[in-house]
Amino acid sequence: MSDNTFGESKETMPAAAAAAAPTMGNWERDTLEKLVFATVREQRATRRWGIFFKMTFLGLAFFGLWAFFDFDFTGSDGEALGRHTALIEIEGSIESDGSGSADVVIPSLNKAFADAGSVAVVLRINSPGGSPVQAGNIVDEILRLKQAYPNKPVYVVVDEICASGGYYIAAAADKIFVNKASIVGSVGVLMDGFGFTGTMEKLGVERRLLTAGENKGFLDPFSPQSDKHKAHAQAMLNEIHQQFISVVRTGRGKRLKETPETFSGLFWSGAKAVEMGLADGFGTVETTARDVVKAEDIVDYTAHEGLPERVLKKFGASVGAGIVNTLGPSARPALR
């Protein structure tokens, strides 16, 4: 019986192995298929990410080239733009190295006036003031362009604030429109700084300033202020102030209701500015284009800072100018 049983077991073993073989084959095949599909999915994902990064790089490269070369897709002659109102924005402080500098604003003015499709130029100003030199250069160019293009009026629309150097520019416009709550005016000039002589004496610090020229240490913040230097600085401020007053009187003409406070450096609300003749009425860029210019299409001619300038500033290209501005603010008159 045992032999018989042992013999039956020997006979049934091949059949069991044969039954197990297909099962093992299916498991290996399923595992292989899973590995293949996983590899394919990974390759597809890799290709998709590769395409994404390539397209992103190409987009950034294209944008960089566009910003660097300042491409103009609207056409240089402006004929394709049709009849429109030209817009130029002056935002922030009016300084030699900012977006409100003459080097930035004047080219925009020239493009706006020269465009055959523009029927008027609107300056939207939101500025507390700044350099009288930069403001004066912009005013001179506005007056020149008004003579060259007598049929293209210039309007100013005040945003939040149009004070001092900002109003210096606005006074050259044909009309000034404000919001009732805008800040307008501040027709004055200042020169500010600090004096550290008392602090230096308390700390026992001695100022050793050597100059060639009697007045070379003019307004040095670490030296006592002399009456002579103070009088000279005041005379210079008064002279620039008179230049400012002349621009306002010429620009506003008989509309200006002049009082002793008009040129005192005070500023007023937009509503009060209209009463005083410092502004002509209320309006926005849109209402000016629609109701005054009669050309609702608005084209922005503002020169915006490009990518290379932003990168250079980010990595410190303007550090030198910043140091100069920090060390010497008292040496420059300011319309603010």
Side-chain angles (χ1 to χ4, degrees):
M1 291 289 294
S2 60
D3 287 343
N4 240 350
T5 305
F6 184 75
E8 291 173 358
S9 298
K10 288 175 66 176
E11 290 175 0
T12 58
M13 283 180 64
T23 304
M24 293 296 293
N26 290 337
W27 177 82
E28 291 174 350
R29 186 164 51 252
D30 292 342
T31 302
L32 182 60
E33 288 178 355
K34 290 178 180 179
L35 289 174
V36 170
F37 285 130
T39 303
V40 170
R41 284 195 297 269
E42 184 177 355
Q43 290 176 346
R44 288 177 178 174
T46 302
R47 283 198 300 270
R48 284 195 296 267
W49 280 110
I51 293 172
F52 170 77
F53 284 122
K54 288 178 182 178
M55 295 299 293
T56 302
F57 175 78
L58 289 175
L60 290 174
F62 176 78
F63 176 77
L65 288 172
W66 175 82
F68 185 80
F69 291 105
D70 192 23
F71 290 149
D72 184 5
F73 294 107
T74 60
S76 58
D77 56 2
E79 293 180 357
L81 297 175
R83 190 175 183 275
H84 63 273
T85 298
L87 171 65
I88 299 173
E89 296 186 341
I90 299 178
E91 180 80 22
S93 183
I94 300 169
E95 301 292 346
S96 59
D97 58 351
S99 60
S101 69
D103 288 342
V104 174
V105 176
I106 288 177
S108 299
L109 286 169
N110 279 275
K111 288 182 181 179
F113 273 93
D115 195 305
S118 67
V119 294
V121 177
V122 175
L123 300 176
R124 176 160 53 192
I125 299 179
N126 185 27
S127 173
S131 165
V133 174
Q134 298 300 311
N137 288 339
I138 294 172
V139 167
D140 291 343
E141 187 65 12
I142 291 174
L143 297 177
R144 185 191 72 82
L145 288 168
K146 286 174 66 176
Q147 289 185 344
Y149 300 89
N151 295 324
K152 290 191 180 183
V154 179
Y155 302 113
V156 162
V157 172
V158 177
D159 198 353
E160 298 286 342
I161 182 171
C162 181
S164 210
Y167 189 77
Y168 192 108
I169 296 172
D174 294 293
K175 287 187 178 181
I176 301 173
F177 299 103
V178 298
N179 182 276
K180 291 179 290 185
S182 298
I183 300 299
V184 182
S186 187
V187 182
V189 190
L190 64 81
M191 180 183 289
D192 57 350
F194 298 93
F196 300 98
T197 53
T199 303
M200 293 171 64
E201 289 177 2
K202 290 180 180 179
L203 296 175
V205 178
E206 179 186 1
R207 172 64 164 166
R208 296 175 178 176
L209 175 65
L210 302 176
T211 65
E214 179 184 357
N215 299 301
K216 190 60 179 177
F218 177 71
L219 293 181
D220 173 43
F222 302 103
S223 301
Q225 186 181 49
S226 70
D227 293 337
K228 178 183 178 181
H229 289 171
K230 182 178 179 180
H232 181 80
Q234 187 61 56
M236 182 171 59
L237 293 177
N238 291 340
E239 179 184 358
I240 298 173
H241 189 206
Q242 289 302 315
Q243 295 171 3
F244 193 172
I245 292 173
S246 177
V247 169
V248 175
R249 282 176 173 164
T250 302
R252 300 304 299 165
K254 295 181 179 180
R255 293 170 293 180
L256 184 65
K257 300 177 179 63
E258 190 173 327
T259 69
E261 293 186 335
T262 301
F263 305 126
S264 67
L266 288 176
F267 49 84
W268 298 271
S269 68
K272 186 64 177 178
V274 173
E275 291 181 17
M276 298 174 63
L278 293 171
D280 297 283
F282 307 118
T284 64
V285 172
E286 290 73 18
T287 59
T288 302
R290 183 185 67 239
D291 303 331
V292 180
V293 181
K294 307 297 183 182
E296 292 190 47
D297 292 335
I298 300 170
V299 177
D300 191 350
Y301 287 81
T302 308
H304 297 284
E305 189 176 56
L307 179 63
E309 289 84 358
R310 290 197 299 271
V311 172
L312 288 174
K313 287 184 179 180
K314 183 178 178 64
F315 288 96
S318 61
V319 170
I323 293 175
V324 171
N325 290 335
T326 302
L327 293 179
S330 62
R332 299 190 307 274
L335 299 177
R336 54 182 173 82

